[in-house]
Amino acid sequence: MATMTETTVTLAAQGGARGRKTYKPVRFAPAASRTPRRSLLLTAAMTLLLLYSLFPLFWLVVNSTKSVDDLFTTFGLWFADTNSFADNVRGVFTYDDGVFLTWFRNTVMYTLIGAGGSTLFAAMAGYGLAKFQFPGRRAVFAIVLAAIAVPGSALAVPTFLLFSQMGLTNTPWAIIIPSLVTPFGLYLLWVYAADSIPTELLEAARVDGAGEFRTFFTIGLRLMAPGLLAVFLLEIVGSWNNYFLPLIMLNDPQWYPLTVGLNQWNAQASTADGDVIFNLVITGSLLAIIPIIIVFLALQRFWQSGLAAGSVKG
């Protein structure tokens, strides 16, 4: 019944009815009218975490509007009397013959090829490991988990020695090839493919005469779309912020990504005849994170909607 006005419980004894107890009416509020419980402590903690996360971005925005002199003579968490943001942006794109644009182009190239390629390879490997049975499958699983536990910085020096023997250092391939391998993305897509792709659907495609590659690209990739977006976003962030590997692999500024290039600008202040361009470094750092913000804002609705659809799939 939708509304309960009275609950009556009748107690029966062995020999017959002993009595009748009547309880007070029990009324249940509709689910839509129930207000969620709020915790002041949890709200305060989440607010502090939000402010802590936004603090570096706020500092970048404020100080990108200052000149070099204002950076050292004004309060660091508020704007100066004069706004130099336009001059700083102009300086970023024109300093050293516009090398910032070259670094930006390199970063986009490394990110698109590295993130796109690693996501595709991880999807193919995860699909194969999830939907095919073969000897040594558990050993491969153990190797993947072990690879996740190894930090990328620990492999940078061995990778440099290997690439130096192959003559690939100081070339874009020294950045692109290592970026094509993502053990964590492989593990995520392996688990996702195992749960999101029905085996019966693949068998039906094979009965219809579809080959394995056609089945993967027409059925597997589409069903793995939410997982692919998740891994792709993670790989974009990792490739865009990649610093240590380009630092040891490249010595030609024309191949630098933004991370290494901006650090070289920042290091100029410690050299004998170097220019002090902290204002350009700060403004360039702000401009460097804008594409990442745009990508997340553009893709998050597809990512979240896909994950929500998969969570209620019967």
Side-chain angles (χ1 to χ4, degrees):
M1 298 177 62
T3 304
M4 180 179 293
T5 59
E6 186 176 29
T7 302
T8 303
V9 179
T10 302
L11 302 177
Q14 294 180 354
R18 291 183 178 180
R20 185 183 299 269
K21 288 186 178 181
T22 302
Y23 294 89
K24 294 181 179 180
V26 179
R27 299 182 181 276
F28 298 94
S33 64
R34 297 175 187 173
T35 57
R37 297 179 59 184
R38 292 185 174 89
S39 172
L40 294 179
L41 180 60
L42 181 59
T43 302
M46 296 303 296
T47 302
L48 289 176
L49 288 176
L50 176 63
L51 294 176
Y52 178 78
S53 301
L54 295 178
F55 178 79
L57 181 61
F58 175 75
W59 185 90
L60 274 179
V61 172
V62 168
N63 289 277
S64 63
T65 63
K66 300 179 181 180
S67 63
V68 175
D69 295 335
D70 290 337
L71 287 174
F72 296 97
T73 58
T74 60
F75 181 55
L77 296 179
W78 199 245
F79 300 92
D81 295 334
T82 58
N83 191 328
S84 303
F85 181 74
D87 295 333
N88 291 339
V89 172
R90 191 179 306 109
V92 167
F93 288 110
T94 58
Y95 184 79
D96 198 9
D97 297 328
V99 71
F100 182 86
L101 291 174
T102 301
W103 297 340
F104 182 82
R105 180 200 63 197
N106 295 338
T107 304
V108 171
M109 177 183 65
Y110 298 149
T111 301
L112 291 180
I113 299 177
S118 62
T119 302
L120 177 60
F121 292 153
M124 297 175 69
Y127 171 84
L129 292 169
K131 294 303 174 182
F132 292 93
Q133 300 293 333
F134 55 89
R137 186 167 174 265
R138 292 188 176 182
V140 174
F141 181 76
I143 293 174
V144 171
L145 291 181
I148 295 174
V150 178
S153 57
L155 300 176
V157 174
T159 304
F160 171 78
L161 296 176
L162 175 64
F163 278 36
S164 63
Q165 294 294 326
M166 300 172 61
L168 295 178
T169 55
N170 201 32
T171 66
W173 297 111
I175 311 302
I176 293 175
I177 293 177
S179 300
L180 297 177
V181 180
T182 168
F184 184 66
L186 169 59
Y187 174 75
L188 286 181
L189 292 178
W190 183 351
V191 176
Y192 193 86
D195 295 333
S196 64
I197 303 177
T199 305
E200 296 79 6
L201 187 60
L202 302 180
E203 293 176 351
R206 297 185 183 110
V207 170
D208 291 339
E212 295 299 337
F213 280 97
R214 182 180 178 184
T215 303
F216 169 72
F217 284 104
T218 57
I219 298 177
L221 280 183
R222 295 183 180 182
L223 295 177
M224 295 168 62
L228 290 174
L229 278 176
V231 173
F232 185 61
L233 286 175
L234 292 175
E235 291 302 308
I236 284 178
V237 174
S239 298
W240 193 272
N241 296 326
N242 194 6
Y243 171 74
F244 188 60
L245 184 64
L247 180 65
I248 66 173
M249 287 290 186
L250 305 173
N251 55 34
D252 185 358
Q254 294 300 317
W255 292 118
Y256 283 170
L258 286 171
T259 51
V260 179
L262 291 174
N263 182 68
Q264 293 298 317
W265 277 5
N266 185 60
Q268 289 182 180
S270 60
T271 60
D273 298 326
D275 295 332
V276 180
I277 52 173
F278 293 133
N279 58 327
L280 301 187
V281 174
I282 294 173
T283 306
S285 300
L286 177 63
L287 296 176
I289 66 175
I290 290 178
I292 290 292
I293 297 176
I294 294 175
V295 169
F296 265 86
L297 293 179
L299 295 180
Q300 68 170 351
R301 64 190 184 97
F302 301 104
W303 182 27
Q304 293 175 353
S305 63
L307 289 178
S311 63
V312 298
K313 189 176 181 180

